[in-house]
């Protein structure tokens, strides 16, 4: 019997560093994939269709939503974002762990439909660091940066809805913390009993005579 994968929800205010942490995690952890969201915003420089996002227009997005094709959806900075319910379900059933990088709105929707999902919130060390990270990205105009900073507080107000909090002050430490959460989940007795079934069966055989 295939062991179902785990759905991890990772949220953070813009500039919190969640994407960098997830990318680094993917390089060191097997059997783990990131869900590629649908969005109506235009691609940023260097972003690729089907790799970073599925870029669709508003009409396409609304058609998909009407067909209940999304596990969750949200409006962020005037653009629509959503997660494919079919893709996530198939991956989980195939035993693959999935990461969703979404905001608190989407996270709340996911928990209502999949309460077994694991929520992780990335905490920035300070407002100054958050603003510095946003400016170093050089992807947004000044007005957008100010709005992201204002919206970061609203995002942070929902930190207590998550199972784990990670402080992203030192990148290596934050990555180790993130890795530890996945590691501990995979070591749970229910999962290990199935993963190690042949070995456990062999070990339980009496190896000697009375």
């Amino acid at each position: 019997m295939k062991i179902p994968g785990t759905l991890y929800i990772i949220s953070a205010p813009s500039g919190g560093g969640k994407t960098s942490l997830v990318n680094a995690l993917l390089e060191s952890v097997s059997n783990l994939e990131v869900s590629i969201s649908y969005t109506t915003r235009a691609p940023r420089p260097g972003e690729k269709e089907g790799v970073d996002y599925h870029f669709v227009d508003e009409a396409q997005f609304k058609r998909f939503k009407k067909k209940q094709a999304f596990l969750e959806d949200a409006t962020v900075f005037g653009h629509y974002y959503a997660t494919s319910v079919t893709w996530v379900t198939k991956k989980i059933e195939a035993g693959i762990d999935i990461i969703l990088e979404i905001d608190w709105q989407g996270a709340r929707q996911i928990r209502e439909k999949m309460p077994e999902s694991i929520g992780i919130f990335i905490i920035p060390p300070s407002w100054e660091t958050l603003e510095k990270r946003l400016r170093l990205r050089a992807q947004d105009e000044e007005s957008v940066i100010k709005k992201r900073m204002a919206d970061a507080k609203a995002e942070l107000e929902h930190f207590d809805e998550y199972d784990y909090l990670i402080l992203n002050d030192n990148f290596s430490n934050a990555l180790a913390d993130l890795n530890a959460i996945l590691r501990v989940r995979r070591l749970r007795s229910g999962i290990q009993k199935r993963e190690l079934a042949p070995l456990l069966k062999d070990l339980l055989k009496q190896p000697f005579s009375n």
Side-chain angles (χ1 to χ4, degrees):
M1 184 178 185
K2 178 67 71 172
I3 302 170
T6 298
L7 180 62
Y8 295 93
I9 303 167
I10 300 185
S11 302
S14 294
K18 68 177 182 297
T19 299
S20 296
L21 286 169
V22 168
N23 287 340
L25 185 69
L26 289 169
E27 294 180 359
S28 59
V29 177
S30 62
N31 203 43
L32 178 68
E33 296 184 23
V34 175
S35 174
I36 301 173
S37 298
Y38 284 80
T39 183
T40 58
R41 74 161 172 78
R44 289 172 178 161
E47 289 184 335
K48 297 179 180 180
E49 162 63 31
V51 176
D52 300 285
Y53 287 95
H54 295 295
F55 297 98
V56 297
D57 60 31
E58 191 170 321
Q60 287 177 296
F61 190 95
K62 290 181 177 179
R63 283 198 299 271
F64 289 147
K65 184 174 180 178
K66 188 175 181 180
K67 293 179 180 179
Q68 298 184 328
F70 297 140
L71 185 60
E72 60 79 31
D73 67 275
T75 303
V76 182
F77 300 110
H79 300 292
Y80 296 124
Y81 292 82
T83 301
S84 168
V85 62
T86 300
W87 187 89
V88 169
T89 301
K90 286 183 177 179
K91 292 291 183 177
I92 294 295
E93 290 177 349
I96 300 171
D97 290 339
I98 299 298
I99 287 179
L100 295 184
E101 294 182 60
I102 53 179
D103 72 349
W104 69 269
Q105 301 174 77
R108 184 175 287 180
Q109 294 176 55
I110 295 292
R111 282 192 299 273
E112 291 176 353
K113 298 174 182 176
M114 302 180 70
E116 70 279 8
S117 60
I118 304 297
I120 304 169
F121 196 94
I122 309 298
I123 304 289
S126 68
W127 288 114
E128 291 76 17
T129 300
L130 198 66
E131 183 175 4
K132 181 179 179 180
R133 289 173 180 171
L134 287 172
R135 294 187 181 282
L136 286 174
R137 294 196 314 193
Q139 294 178 331
D140 300 311
E141 297 179 354
E142 183 65 23
S143 59
V144 175
I145 290 176
K146 289 182 178 180
K147 188 176 189 311
R148 289 186 184 278
M149 289 295 296
D151 288 351
K153 184 177 184 298
E155 186 79 24
L156 281 164
E157 288 175 348
H158 296 273
F159 73 88
D160 59 351
E161 297 179 15
Y162 292 76
D163 301 294
Y164 298 93
L165 302 180
I166 293 178
L167 174 63
N168 188 14
D169 188 4
N170 178 284
F171 186 85
S172 295
N173 291 342
L175 179 58
D177 289 341
L178 188 56
N179 208 325
I181 293 171
L182 271 70
R183 182 64 178 162
V184 168
R185 174 72 182 181
R186 292 180 176 186
L187 289 173
R188 291 180 65 186
S189 178
I191 295 175
Q192 288 290 77
K193 280 191 293 186
R194 285 181 285 182
E195 286 279 6
L196 303 176
L199 173 60
L200 290 170
K201 183 178 179 180
D202 185 62
L203 290 174
L204 290 172
K205 292 178 181 178
Q206 190 170 340
F208 53 85
S209 300
N210 291 326

